[in-house]
């Protein structure tokens, strides 16, 4: 009971210290409000306002029809350019797509000679290059089917394919980016706040005060974990309801309380990692530089932005050691698909196991740091 009381009182002290730090409070507010709203609205993964030019060497009714088929909001109004200007325009980055319609295109289509159309794609625009090429191919194919059908050709397809997109029916990137940004910010803040709590104790000279008190290193570490974790979970829940559901109008179909439980387990692991990093660094600048590659790798390899299935087989096994990998699976299942505890318990169990390992390692490091401070 005395240990629980010590952990509680030390945690309250951590919360008071955090409330008296306007920089960290401003960071929390910005991270769970403006950072989420601007990223969700600004980072577009679907095709929007893509620049396209058309080289019309045919000057026929069919080529004019193709040029008029590219409409907003997917494409900007197509510009007609000469064939000699294609390379210079692509090198200057003025167009993402350039469609080259060859001479006698309409006549060849009507004669059944299957003429070729060249589509030049600026592949440096990776976000829209692949999706945009699919859109262009689909638009050209649809217009050709309509044209051949009116000309008396056979255009009946043997299969009627109907696409049903579940959990995000309009394929809006804002729905995905808003929730994923909360998950990414949980990782960043958990590492920064927990590590800053230890660094702050060392820089203010209060770490020596803790050493003369009847508390253990484990109690000090657990206090920092629950205090900083509580602040982050509350901020994440408020952001989920106010920013994601309110301002961005993204529907959250799952249980927010189950998400809070998973976030608490995840924060137990990540805050322990943050405290471990703080025992390696001696100042806040060092800690900041050390933590950047850690949470960048955790976010990029968690499966949130890049599917795990597309990674090399060896890397897929390695990233299973990261708590962020399991938490991303958990959060997506709960918030997007409305999964219950019966579905996501393996991810919770894996995150807990990794958290216990990180806590044990961090406790050893923290005890070593306290012993060297005596």
């Amino acid at each position: 009971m005395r240990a629980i009381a010590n952990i509680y009182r030390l945690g309250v002290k951590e919360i008071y210290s955090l409330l008296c730090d306007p920089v960290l409070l401003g960071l929390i507010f910005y991270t769970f409000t403006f950072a989420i709203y601007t990223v969700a609205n600004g980072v577009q993964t679907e095709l929007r306002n893509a620049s396209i030019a058309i080289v019309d060497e045919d000057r026929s009714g069919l080529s004019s029809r193709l040029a008029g088929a590219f409409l907003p909001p997917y494409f900007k109004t197509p510009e007609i350019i000469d064939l000699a200007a294609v390379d210079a325009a692509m090198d200057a980055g003025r167009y993402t797509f350039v469609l080259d319609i060859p001479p006698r295109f309409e006549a060849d289509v009507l004669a059944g000679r299957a003429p070729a159309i060249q589509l030049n794609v600026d592949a440096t625009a990776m976000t829209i290059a692949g999706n945009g090429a699919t859109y262009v191919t689909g638009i050209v194919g649809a217009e050709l089917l309509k044209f051949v059908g009116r000309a008396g050709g056979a255009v009946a397809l043997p299969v009627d394919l109907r696409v049903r997109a579940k959990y995000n029916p309009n394929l809006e990137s804002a729905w995905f980016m808003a929730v994923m940004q909360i998950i990414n910010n949980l990782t960043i803040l958990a590492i920064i706040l927990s590590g800053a709590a230890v660094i702050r104790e060392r820089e203010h000279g209060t770490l020596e005060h803790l050493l003369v008190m009847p508390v253990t290193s484990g109690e000090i570490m657990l206090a920092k974990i629950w205090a900083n974790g509580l602040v982050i979970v509350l901020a994440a829940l408020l952001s989920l309801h106010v920013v994601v559901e309110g301002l961005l109008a993204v529907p959250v179909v799952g249980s927010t309380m189950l998400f809070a439980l998973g976030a608490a387990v995840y924060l137990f692991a990540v805050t322990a990692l943050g405290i471990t990093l703080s025992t390696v660094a001696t100042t806040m600048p060092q800690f900041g530089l050390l933590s950047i590659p850690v949470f960048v790798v955790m976010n990029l390899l968690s499966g949130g932005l890049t599917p795990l299935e597309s990674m090399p087989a060896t890397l897929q096994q390695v990233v299973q050691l990261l708590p962020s990998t399991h938490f991303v699976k958990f959060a997506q299942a709960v918030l997007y698909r409305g999964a219950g505890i019966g579905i996501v318990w393996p991810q919770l169990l894996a995150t807990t196991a990794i958290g216990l390992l990180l806590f044990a390692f961090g406790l050893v490091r923290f005890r070593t740091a306290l012993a060297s401070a005596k």
Side-chain angles (χ1 to χ4, degrees), residues 99-174:
L99 186 66
D100 184 3
I101 303 175
R104 296 187 52 80
F105 176 70
E106 180 177 319
D108 289 341
V109 169
L110 293 176
R113 287 192 284 267
I117 301 179
Q118 184 184 70
L119 176 64
N120 299 278
V121 181
D122 182 1
T124 60
M126 284 299 298
T127 305
I128 63 174
N131 292 337
T134 303
Y135 271 79
V136 173
T137 303
I139 291 172
V140 171
E143 291 300 321
L144 288 176
L145 283 176
K146 293 178 182 178
F147 178 79
V148 173
R150 290 182 179 181
V155 297
L157 297 178
V159 176
D160 183 14
L161 177 64
R162 302 293 179 91
V163 178
R164 181 188 179 192
K166 298 190 65 176
Y167 316 118
N168 188 357
N170 295 323
L171 301 179
E172 293 286 343
S173 61

Side-chain angles (χ1 to χ4, degrees), residues 268-269 320-323 326 349-359:
F268 170 73
Q320 299 302 318
L321 301 176
L322 299 176
H326 303 283
L349 185 61
T351 306
T352 303
I354 296 174
L356 290 175
L357 291 176
L358 289 174
F359 178 80

Side-chain angles (χ1 to χ4, degrees), residues 6-308:
N6 289 340
I7 294 172
Y8 170 76
R9 293 190 181 97
L10 289 172
V12 172
K13 177 191 76 68
E14 290 295 328
I15 295 177
Y16 276 121
S17 299
L18 180 60
L19 293 177
C20 294
D21 193 329
V23 175
L24 290 180
L25 286 178
L27 176 64
I28 295 173
F29 177 78
Y30 169 80
T31 301
F32 283 110
T33 53
F34 294 102
I36 293 175
Y37 184 83
T38 54
V39 169
N41 281 327
V43 179
Q44 300 286 335
T45 57
E46 67 266 20
L47 190 68
R48 286 288 187 275
N49 296 319
S51 57
I52 183 171
I54 294 179
V55 179
D56 190 355
E57 299 183 85
D58 188 34
R59 304 291 179 177
S60 64
L62 177 57
S63 62
S64 299
R65 179 172 181 163
L66 291 178
F70 298 97
L71 302 173
Y74 301 115
F75 296 93
K76 296 179 181 179
T77 302
E79 297 185 17
I80 305 299
I81 63 174
D82 295 329
L83 180 62
V86 173
D87 290 339
M90 294 289 287
D91 292 341
R94 289 197 294 269
Y95 307 109
T96 305
F97 305 99
V98 176
L99 186 66
D100 184 3
I101 303 175
R104 296 187 52 80
F105 176 70
E106 180 177 319
D108 289 341
V109 169
L110 293 176
R113 287 192 284 267
I117 301 179
Q118 184 184 70
L119 176 64
N120 299 278
V121 181
D122 182 1
T124 60
M126 284 299 298
T127 305
I128 63 174
N131 292 337
T134 303
Y135 271 79
V136 173
T137 303
I139 291 172
V140 171
E143 291 300 321
L144 288 176
L145 283 176
K146 293 178 182 178
F147 178 79
V148 173
R150 290 182 179 181
V155 297
L157 297 178
V159 176
D160 183 14
L161 177 64
R162 302 293 179 91
V163 178
R164 181 188 179 192
K166 298 190 65 176
Y167 316 118
N168 188 357
N170 295 323
L171 301 179
E172 293 286 343
S173 61
W175 288 26
F176 173 78
M177 294 303 301
V179 175
M180 289 310 304
Q181 192 65 12
I182 288 182
I183 297 173
N184 293 339
N185 291 348
L186 279 173
T187 305
I188 296 173
L189 278 184
I191 293 177
I192 291 178
L193 292 186
S194 58
V198 177
I199 300 293
R200 186 171 55 241
E201 300 274 14
R202 184 183 296 121
E203 291 182 342
H204 293 175
T206 54
L207 190 61
E208 288 77 7
H209 297 170
L210 293 175
L211 295 176
V212 298
M213 295 176 62
V215 294
T216 64
S217 56
E219 293 170 358
I220 297 174
M221 189 170 173
L222 284 173
K224 295 183 181 299
I225 288 176
W226 83 256
N228 290 285
L230 176 64
V231 171
I232 297 173
V233 168
L234 292 178
L237 289 179
L238 286 174
S239 178
L240 194 62
H241 289 296
V242 176
V243 179
V244 176
E245 289 187 295
L247 296 178
L248 295 172
V250 178
V252 177
V253 299
S255 169
T256 54
M257 290 299 101
L258 180 58
F259 172 74
L261 173 63
V265 175
Y266 175 64
L267 289 172
F268 170 73
V270 180
T271 49
L273 176 60
I275 293 176
T276 302
L277 295 178
S278 69
T279 62
V280 178
T282 57
T283 63
M284 277 301 298
Q286 287 183 0
F287 173 74
L289 292 174
L290 181 62
S291 60
I292 287 174
V294 174
F295 60 68
V296 167
V297 170
M298 290 180 64
N299 286 340
L300 292 180
L301 298 182
S302 64
L305 298 178
T306 303
L308 294 178

